[in-house]
Amino acid sequence: MDADRSIEGEPPLSEWAELLESACSALPRLGIRQIRVLRETASTQDAAWRAGGGSPGWLVIAGRQTAGRGRLGRSWVDTGGAGLALTLALPRGLVSPIGVGLAVCRAANSMLPSALLGLRWPNDVVERSGIQRKAAGVLIEARNHISLVGIGVNVGPMAWPPDLEARAVCLHELGSSCTRPSLALAVLANLDRVLDWSGEQIATEAAALDTLKGTLRRFVYDGQNYEGVVESIEADSSIRVRTDEGALIELPALATSLLHD
Ligand code: BTN
């Protein structure tokens, strides 16, 4: 296997752009005009911003990402050559947080023997059973007129740092033998499909994969702690939670942190 490929059977990075280009031309709603494949970069979010000069229609995908960002100031671990790391620069507001999570979850499940993965609001892709180890995450950053939609998926086996060992899983561990470009194509195709759906349709599909409904959870929003039983995920990507006192609160997706015990 060459140094760029830690995944068995994966085409070399030099072939990814062409593979993706021909498939993206059949995905009209995403409007991808330019694709850049980087051997290594700090964060595909910044690379996509730089490459596109702030304009939409760019897809940047990295063979390796060394300083990936997660939601709410967290970091995304360097998965070496075993993770999918991509950023799509889209017109601001085109996609919703749960819409992207839904697309990634459907794509990842399509690579598995059965639909083992579900959605942990707003857009973590996690195992549906057990301790719900995380397989993929989504970061949406708004800058000027665009949204940088960053998607990270753990694809091949990797050595996790100790704090992630019990909380992270890769698709190969769940029985997939997919390669990163094939998964990238599935993610993009699902995202293009989801863009054709209404907010209500997205909420209904997301509810079928939801892993939080009916569970007692703690959240932080705007410096305040909230605790309650999750009732539903709404079409605008917010979550409805019933507190102990019986109040129904609605928390927004982009600025709320779900606390993990
Ligand atoms: C999260 O779960 O907190 C979101 C993780 C998002 C990671 C992806 S990897 C590609 C893109 N580039 C980044 O720096 N982050 C996102």
Side-chain angles (χ1 to χ4, degrees):
M1 225 178 291
D2 79 33
D4 291 334
R5 288 180 284 169
S6 60
I7 292 180
E8 191 81 41
E10 194 166 81
L13 276 172
S14 55
E15 291 175 14
W16 290 18
E18 204 180 321
L19 278 170
L20 291 165
E21 263 156 28
S22 51
C24 284
S25 58
L27 305 174
R29 285 170 285 264
L30 286 179
I32 296 171
R33 294 176 290 111
Q34 297 280 352
I35 298 175
R36 188 155 290 175
V37 178
L38 304 172
R39 193 161 299 278
E40 181 176 314
T41 193
S43 166
T44 54
Q45 298 289 96
D46 300 326
W49 174 256
R50 279 194 306 269
S55 58
W58 279 78
L59 168 65
V60 171
I61 179 162
R64 178 173 183 190
Q65 183 177 246
T66 54
R69 292 197 289 279
R71 292 182 66 237
L72 303 163
R74 301 184 195 117
S75 59
W76 185 252
V77 76
D78 175 359
T79 52
L84 175 67
L86 68 81
T87 297
L88 259 174
L90 296 176
R92 205 163 164 166
L94 188 69
V95 290
S96 65
I98 56 165
V100 182
L102 177 62
V104 178
C105 189
R106 289 167 60 98
N109 272 333
S110 75
M111 300 291 166
L112 298 176
S114 63
L116 298 172
L117 297 169
L119 258 186
R120 183 173 63 200
W121 181 87
N123 42 33
D124 283 351
V125 176
V126 299
E127 283 178 294
R128 294 171 102 163
S129 61
I131 53 168
Q132 303 190 338
R133 291 175 297 173
K134 179 163 164 174
V138 173
L139 171 69
I140 302 179
E141 295 176 317
R143 284 198 210 168
N144 293 355
H145 301 300
I146 63 169
S147 288
L148 295 166
V149 179
I151 296 168
V153 187
N154 308 326
V155 180
M158 53 196 90
W160 301 109
D163 60 317
L164 285 186
E165 220 160 330
R167 296 191 288 127
V169 69
C170 72
L171 300 188
H172 283 207
E173 227 177 309
L174 298 175
S176 173
S177 52
C178 68
T179 64
R180 291 177 294 168
S182 64
L183 177 65
L185 287 176
V187 166
L188 296 170
N190 273 281
L191 196 52
D192 190 73
R193 191 166 313 136
V194 164
L195 280 179
D196 200 27
W197 294 350
S198 67
E200 282 70 26
Q201 196 174 354
I202 291 171
T204 304
E205 297 287 336
L209 290 167
D210 172 46
T211 59
L212 295 186
K213 190 174 175 175
T215 62
L216 180 67
R217 299 286 171 162
R218 291 183 300 126
F219 302 87
V220 181
Y221 168 60
D222 206 12
Q224 294 252 62
N225 288 297
Y226 297 90
E227 182 176 292
V229 175
V230 174
E231 290 216 337
S232 58
I233 313 297
E234 300 299 300
D236 66 357
S237 294
S238 62
I239 191 166
R240 280 198 182 160
V241 176
R242 180 78 61 184
T243 67
D244 273 357
E245 296 76 39
L248 191 59
I249 52 167
E250 205 164 303
L251 301 168
L254 288 179
T256 303
S257 176
L258 167 67
L259 297 179
H260 304 293
D261 297 317

